[in-house]
Amino acid sequence: MKIFDTHVHLGKKRIIENNTTKADKLPVHLNDNNNTGERFARLAQKQGVFKAVVFPYALLSSDINKANDYILNAYAKNQELMIPFALISPELSERFSQGAPFRGVKEHFYVTGAKDPKVYAPLYDLLQQKGLILLIHPHMKERVEKIRMLKRDFPKLKIILAHSGRKWPFTGIDVADLILPALKGYDDLYFDTSTIRAPQTIADMVNQIGSDRILFGSDYPYSQEGEDIYPSELATVTEAPIADADKEKILFANSKRLFWEGSWIRRSFRSDRETIWALFETLTPQERKFLALDKKLDLIKANIRDERHIYLLEDDRGLAGFLRESGRSDNGAMIEEIIVHRDRRGQRCGERLLQMAEQKFSYLESKTFADNSAVIRLQERLGFQVVKRSPNGKILYWRKDHDAR
């Protein structure tokens, strides 16, 4: 089962000042506010999370600039998994103008507080113009009016209403009888399922607005004490009395449609095996020899089965590229194979895959036949250096260090 999670908090305690109080019983103060990028990437692999929208903790005590920087750093290292959102601030428009790769903004009433909404109007307008997304958690008293105001002034702004506007955490109160009747008529308005925990509410939502605008979210790492978050959040959807096709849309397909921009890199899943094999069939005998592919098919099958070490570049036509690595010490990796579909060659697909790996690992190594000119040109263009040759000169050993690590 593929999962696209639209609601994940990331950050480190060092960028959150210690001035919150345990007396506040809201979940934001009862949970661990130290969900690092590394920690979440491991969890996502274990839980089958395909992609995840990530953003900082919405705390007044956060250093928002540092929190947003942390998101970009985590995204750079996990481009196959994360879709980065910034925590809202009046100065955020400048970061977008400077090319920051945020795909949207998280707004939370904890952060905006009593500020005049007009302060954020330029940011809303920028998001609307660029087709970016506002994920918003309004104050309970303005859940309906805030969305109405935004849709009045910025009608084409894409909005995800966090928690579908439910009243209290871990319930579906108000969603079906207050929020949806008031807001279901607006275009480009989506509803995430995080912390609803009421399967019947999901069914009521599908009955009122269909399944196309409902998105799975976990609110990770926020939870009730002692529970395993993902099974609990997934059960809200999987146990809802709705069709399996609707569940698949909510868990994955709707979010993929919303965030798709023509291509992306992701890790492989078991269900990709036939597609990967079809890509291999496009290789010439000489290309298969360069890769020693036929000697490694069993190992590749095992990596696909375990959903590890393989990254895929997808575009509108399907699978465009394949990269498999094997881990090395000190967060390094050996590039075992890199394959680009014959119809996509010359479009920098291999370069994109290697650049992703370069950000993810501290260093990259590879070995090639000395007459594999295509891969040699690619690696030289990206700054790989030959560090050793085989005694007969037929095999070249390459390395590239990531200077930023």
Side-chain angles (χ1 to χ4, degrees):
M1 177 173 59
K2 291 181 182 177
I3 302 165
F4 199 131
D5 191 342
T6 60
H7 202 124
V8 174
H9 303 262
L10 287 187
K12 285 188 172 181
K13 284 183 177 179
R14 63 179 172 78
I15 56 177
I16 302 172
E17 297 174 8
N18 187 25
N19 62 0
T20 55
T21 170
K22 288 289 185 180
D24 190 338
K25 298 301 182 182
L26 291 171
V28 71
H29 299 312
L30 297 177
N31 292 128
D32 180 8
N33 294 318
N34 195 45
N35 182 33
T36 66
E38 295 84 355
R39 170 182 168 184
F40 180 71
R42 291 193 297 269
L43 177 74
Q45 174 114 22
K46 178 180 177 181
Q47 298 290 348
V49 176
F50 172 90
K51 290 279 183 180
V53 175
V54 298
F55 42 81
Y57 292 96
L59 297 170
L60 281 174
S61 48
S62 294
D63 182 321
I64 292 180
N65 286 330
K66 288 183 179 179
N68 286 336
D69 287 342
Y70 185 82
I71 294 297
L72 291 182
N73 182 261
Y75 163 68
K77 298 175 184 177
N78 299 279
Q79 296 174 41
E80 80 287 357
L81 169 64
M82 297 179 182
I83 296 175
F85 272 41
L87 187 59
I88 195 166
S89 72
E91 300 80 23
L92 199 52
S93 296
E94 183 177 351
R95 297 202 69 170
F96 279 104
S97 68
Q98 294 170 351
F102 294 115
R103 295 288 304 280
V105 170
K106 171 65 183 294
E107 176 176 339
H108 197 295
F109 69 90
Y110 288 169
V111 176
T112 56
K115 292 186 181 73
D116 186 340
K118 293 179 181 178
V119 170
Y120 299 104
L123 178 60
Y124 298 144
D125 186 54
L126 182 147
L127 295 176
Q128 179 176 248
Q129 290 181 37
K130 290 182 174 291
L132 302 177
I133 296 168
L134 177 68
L135 172 58
I136 182 170
H137 184 160
H139 192 280
M140 189 183 304
K141 296 179 180 178
E142 58 176 17
R143 288 171 291 170
V144 170
E145 289 308 313
K146 179 73 174 186
I147 302 302
R148 284 176 171 166
M149 180 274 291
L150 287 168
K151 280 299 181 181
R152 180 195 67 216
D153 296 341
F154 308 95
K156 295 184 179 180
L157 176 61
K158 296 177 183 178
I159 299 174
I160 301 173
L161 180 57
H163 319 297
S164 296
R166 54 97 179 107
K167 186 174 184 179
W168 300 119
F170 314 117
T171 76
I173 295 172
D174 284 350
V175 174
D177 55 0
L178 173 64
I179 303 300
L180 291 185
L183 300 178
K184 63 184 179 181
Y186 290 109
D187 294 333
D188 293 317
L189 177 60
Y190 300 83
F191 303 84
D192 91 39
T193 65
S194 58
T195 66
I196 288 179
R197 303 291 181 85
Q200 185 56 49
T201 296
I202 303 301
D204 293 341
M205 294 172 70
V206 171
N207 289 335
Q208 288 196 46
I209 64 171
S211 59
D212 290 344
R213 292 192 287 153
I214 306 172
L215 314 175
F216 173 76
S218 70
D219 205 22
Y220 191 87
Y222 296 141
S223 66
Q224 299 181 98
E225 186 174 357
E227 72 177 354
D228 193 344
I229 298 173
Y230 270 101
S232 299
E233 289 291 338
L234 287 167
T236 304
V237 178
T238 59
E239 295 179 9
I242 58 177
D244 287 345
D246 291 324
K247 295 175 184 178
E248 194 274 338
K249 286 183 178 181
I250 294 169
L251 292 174
F252 169 71
N254 293 340
S255 295
K256 180 178 179 181
R257 185 183 70 250
L258 179 60
F259 287 98
W260 180 254
E261 289 190 317
S263 67
W264 60 22
I265 295 172
R266 63 172 177 86
R267 79 173 194 275
S268 70
F269 286 82
R270 294 183 185 92
S271 58
D272 292 311
R273 176 174 166 172
E274 295 305 316
T275 305
I276 292 171
W277 248 241
L279 175 65
F280 292 172
E281 291 301 315
T282 68
L283 297 172
T284 66
Q286 183 62 59
E287 289 168 339
R288 295 179 78 97
K289 179 181 177 181
F290 279 149
L291 295 168
L293 189 63
D294 295 315
K295 297 180 180 179
K296 297 186 284 188
L297 291 178
D298 287 343
L299 181 54
I300 294 172
K301 289 177 184 177
N303 288 161
I304 295 173
R305 182 186 64 242
D306 296 339
E307 299 182 341
R308 294 171 59 84
H309 301 298
I310 296 174
Y311 302 90
L312 305 178
L313 173 59
E314 287 184 318
D315 63 17
D316 287 325
R317 291 185 286 168
L319 182 57
F322 167 101
L323 182 148
R324 186 172 73 92
E325 51 80 18
S326 57
R328 293 293 185 266
S329 61
D330 299 321
N331 192 40
M334 168 69 77
I335 304 301
E336 299 288 352
E337 304 91 25
I338 183 165
I339 301 170
V340 175
H341 194 286
R342 185 166 303 280
D343 294 341
R344 315 305 204 283
R345 295 181 185 177
Q347 301 176 23
R348 298 194 177 277
C349 294
E351 187 171 317
R352 283 185 62 185
L353 284 163
L354 279 177
Q355 288 173 333
M356 176 278 299
E358 180 188 350
Q359 292 292 320
K360 191 171 188 66
F361 299 103
S362 299
Y363 62 90
L364 299 178
E365 296 178 334
S366 71
K367 58 182 179 179
T368 67
F369 282 95
D371 53 349
N372 189 352
S373 57
V375 173
I376 288 173
R377 286 196 302 270
L378 171 62
Q379 295 190 159
E380 287 179 338
R381 188 165 68 244
L382 293 180
F384 282 72
Q385 301 290 325
V386 175
V387 294
K388 189 174 73 171
R389 299 173 186 267
S390 64
N392 62 10
K394 292 183 177 181
I395 304 294
L396 305 180
Y397 296 82
W398 303 77
R399 180 177 172 114
K400 182 176 183 183
D401 292 294
H402 186 188
D403 295 337
R405 296 298 171 110

